[in-house]
Amino acid sequence: MGSNEQNAILSNSEGRLILLVTDAASFNLADIEDNAVDAVAIDLHVEFTYETGKVIEQIRTSNAKKTYLSPVFLFNDPDEIPERYLELTDGIVRSPNDPKLGVISERINNSIDELPNISLPPYSTRIITKAFRFLYTRKRELRPIIDIGNVYGYVYPFIDIHISNDQSAQEILPLLTDSVSEGYLSSTFMDRVHLCPDCFSVYHNIRELCPSCTSAQLKAENIMHHFVCAYVGPESDFMVEGSLVCPKCKKVCRHIGVDYDKPSVAYECQDCKQFFQEPVMEAFCMNCKSHNKLEDLMPYDIHSFKLTSLGKEIAKSGISSPTLKDETFFPGFIPYNIFTTYLQFEIDRTKRYSSCTIVGSINLRFTQEDVLSKQQLNKLQYEISEIILKSSPPSSIFSFKNNTFMFIVPDEFQFKIEKQLSENVDSLSKVIDSNDTYKGRILTGFKIHEIEEDDTVDVIVNEMLSS
């Protein structure tokens, strides 16, 4: 058994080996597997610290099965522990001899023994595979929690500790949706947030603006209606030495609903002094500082996830379905599922405002099977993404799926985008023809579609993805 001055391997009253962590700074991850411990117990002393959180994250981000799935318990009051770490641990216990520790750790370890050792797949799918195995051994859901530090306002703690930035989240989270489509996970609706259409942040300042000068410095005042003489005016006109007196007939207004009512509110702009009753509503993004109409915000549903029977089998064997794999992402591109949400928004906008929005695609077609290695293909796709990104209008939205580069261009004319696409394809052909690896093996083509009122997302996407 291994130990150091602060942390020790103990045998509890049931004969289970417990790694007792009393000093986070001296924690050694290798102690878990080297000593074949049954559980890890972290003594929080007086409070939950940053270092304690790092110990838990070290354990869960390991790629060694016995380590990242190891039962982890805490000594402390649950109210003092951040919710994300409650999701990453297995319970609060009073001591290493607590019967709760024995029951839970035995159940988890038995489930771990049911999982064969597998080679973990690449980055994004590896995280999903680990999450499946964590859910399998815990018999629990993957549950979102509120996190004001996250651009979406919610995180899945087991997923979140593996990713370093918002771009990584946009790569990984769509795989959860794909897992539902594949039948590996079932989902339960938890909440609906509304994202900035520019940066996908959930953090907005919803504010009222002057329709004349767009100032947010407004003064609101109730409008009063005196029943007896039918006078209507701002409440300040009625105020006389603390009482409400009608400025027209001079009668005292004592009882609301009997003498008077307040049918509406009027605003005065403190900058341009305009009076109005209907302010302009705006969502000011606190992340990218863009100004958005409320109807332009993108709805995005938050779900919890649970393994299905098929998902439990996948947790054992690993994810191998060709439809659930690492997606290819490029700088400036967004995940496909968010792209389709944005496309629905543009369809709705066309119906509401008769606006002109163009959807286009550039498709790669191979004349032979397996002509390129994955590295060669990724290099070519990256070059193409740069050409498309640099030559497109700044308002364009880009995504990639099935060797097809897709984009949405709001408020542009079809002939202009068609001309640009033709130039892009010419540029791509030069890139392909200048490389002997690609030459004669890859064909490019483009499609263009102006959104119409009766369009649907499925119809447009199928058109863009078809050969």
Side-chain angles (χ1 to χ4, degrees):
M1 288 187 286
S3 67
N4 55 49
E5 292 181 1
Q6 291 83 13
N7 305 320
I9 309 296
L10 307 176
S11 179
N12 71 1
S13 59
E14 297 176 330
R16 303 182 191 281
L17 291 182
I18 311 298
L19 172 57
L20 180 63
V21 179
T22 57
D23 181 71
S26 61
F27 171 71
N28 182 4
L29 190 66
D31 280 344
I32 296 176
E33 286 215 37
D34 290 350
N35 297 282
V37 299
D38 296 298
V40 177
I42 304 174
D43 187 348
L44 300 181
H45 303 294
V46 178
E47 61 182 351
F48 191 98
T49 64
Y50 170 82
E51 289 75 18
T52 306
K54 297 310 290 184
V55 168
I56 297 170
E57 291 181 14
Q58 267 188 275
I59 295 170
R60 297 300 181 221
T61 55
S62 166
N63 287 327
K65 182 184 77 171
K66 289 284 190 178
T67 301
Y68 75 80
L69 294 177
S70 181
V72 177
F73 298 89
L74 302 171
F75 298 163
N76 211 328
D77 187 321
D79 292 340
E80 298 177 6
I81 301 170
E83 188 178 10
R84 68 185 284 118
Y85 293 108
L86 290 176
E87 289 293 311
L88 293 169
T89 52
D90 298 296
I92 312 299
V93 294
R94 296 186 301 272
S95 74
N97 293 318
D98 191 325
K100 179 180 176 181
L101 184 150
V103 171
I104 295 175
S105 63
E106 181 177 13
R107 186 186 71 229
I108 292 173
N109 285 319
N110 287 341
S111 295
I112 293 173
D113 290 340
E114 295 171 7
L115 299 175
N117 292 319
I118 60 172
S119 296
L120 289 173
Y123 176 62
S124 298
T125 314
R126 178 175 72 243
I127 296 171
I128 298 299
T129 301
K130 289 179 63 179
F132 276 28
R133 294 190 143 204
F134 186 75
L135 299 183
Y136 179 89
T137 54
R138 269 66 185 179
K139 309 295 187 288
R140 67 167 71 166
E141 294 184 348
L142 187 67
R143 193 172 67 91
I145 65 168
I146 294 173
D147 186 333
I148 61 172
N150 183 271
V151 67
Y152 297 115
Y154 282 91
V155 297
Y156 299 92
F158 190 88
I159 302 291
D160 189 59
I161 60 170
H162 288 84
I163 59 183
S164 57
N165 52 50
D166 295 335
Q167 180 64 34
S168 296
Q170 291 177 2
E171 294 178 23
I172 296 166
L173 295 182
L175 295 183
L176 293 174
T177 305
D178 290 346
S179 296
V180 174
S181 300
E182 290 294 308
Y184 304 154
L185 295 174
S186 61
S187 63
T188 301
F189 175 86
M190 301 295 288
D191 196 6
R192 176 170 294 136
V193 296
H194 292 81
L195 307 179
C196 169
D198 292 329
C199 70
F200 310 111
S201 169
V202 75
Y203 300 107
H204 319 285
N205 179 18
I206 307 298
R207 56 191 187 182
E208 301 160 320
L209 302 179
C210 170
S212 178
C213 70
T214 70
S215 170
Q217 191 176 4
L218 309 180
K219 180 182 178 182
E221 186 173 6
N222 289 317
I223 297 297
M224 285 186 57
H225 169 217
H226 187 209
F227 295 150
V228 172
C229 68
Y231 179 78
V232 177
E235 188 172 357
S236 57
D237 287 357
F238 286 75
M239 292 301 299
V240 178
E241 297 180 352
S243 297
L244 294 174
V245 179
C246 178
K248 179 181 177 183
C249 67
K250 308 304 180 184
K251 290 186 177 181
V252 177
C253 302
R254 291 186 171 86
H255 305 292
I256 189 168
V258 177
D259 299 324
Y260 67 95
D261 65 358
K262 298 179 180 181
S264 63
V265 175
Y267 296 84
E268 180 187 8
C269 176
Q270 301 302 290
D271 287 339
C272 71
K273 304 305 178 184
Q274 288 287 320
F275 285 90
F276 50 90
Q277 285 190 286
E278 295 293 336
V280 174
M281 299 302 297
E282 176 190 77
F284 176 70
C285 179
M286 308 297 282
N287 186 51
C288 72
K289 300 181 174 59
S290 63
H291 300 261
N292 301 298
K293 296 178 182 178
L294 297 189
E295 60 266 29
D296 289 349
L297 298 179
M298 296 169 54
Y300 183 78
D301 290 351
I302 305 295
H303 296 88
S304 63
F305 299 94
K306 186 176 181 180
L307 286 177
T308 62
S309 297
L310 178 58
K312 292 173 184 177
E313 293 305 313
I314 293 297
K316 295 178 183 178
S317 63
I319 297 173
S320 58
S321 167
T323 58
L324 185 61
K325 56 188 177 183
D326 280 37
E327 295 187 36
T328 305
F329 288 85
F330 311 107
F333 281 57
I334 64 174
Y336 172 72
N337 68 325
I338 296 180
F339 179 85
T340 56
T341 300
Y342 203 97
L343 180 55
Q344 182 62 62
F345 156 72
E346 287 297 331
I347 293 171
D348 294 341
R349 196 166 73 98
T350 298
K351 293 177 182 177
R352 190 181 298 122
Y353 303 113
S354 299
S355 56
C356 179
T357 296
I358 304 301
V359 183
S361 68
I362 294 178
N363 182 268
L364 302 181
R365 301 189 305 278
F366 300 92
T367 59
Q368 305 172 35
E369 291 293 327
D370 301 324
V371 296
L372 299 180
S373 68
K374 184 174 182 181
Q375 184 177 6
Q376 290 171 327
L377 180 59
N378 286 345
K379 183 176 183 296
L380 173 62
Q381 290 169 342
Y382 187 86
E383 290 181 55
I384 294 173
S385 73
E386 285 190 315
I387 292 173
I388 295 172
L389 199 64
K390 289 176 181 177
S391 61
S392 300
S395 59
S396 303
I397 305 296
F398 305 93
S399 192
F400 179 82
K401 184 179 178 68
N402 296 348
N403 287 316
T404 300
F405 298 86
M406 295 182 289
F407 51 88
I408 301 169
V409 189
D411 304 318
E412 286 287 358
F413 294 108
Q414 181 166 337
F415 75 88
K416 181 179 177 181
I417 302 303
E418 193 164 6
K419 181 175 181 292
Q420 185 61 63
L421 271 176
S422 180
E423 292 173 358
N424 282 346
V425 169
D426 288 343
S427 299
L428 301 182
S429 297
K430 291 177 183 177
V431 170
I432 292 169
D433 290 342
S434 66
N435 189 310
D436 290 338
T437 303
Y438 309 146
K439 189 174 182 180
R441 297 175 173 179
I442 302 172
L443 303 175
T444 59
F446 71 87
K447 294 186 178 69
I448 194 165
H449 180 101
E450 183 175 337
I451 293 179
E452 299 176 353
E453 290 187 10
D454 58 350
D455 275 331
T456 66
V457 170
D458 287 343
V459 166
I460 295 175
V461 167
N462 288 338
E463 179 185 343
M464 293 299 110
L465 294 178
S466 62
S467 300

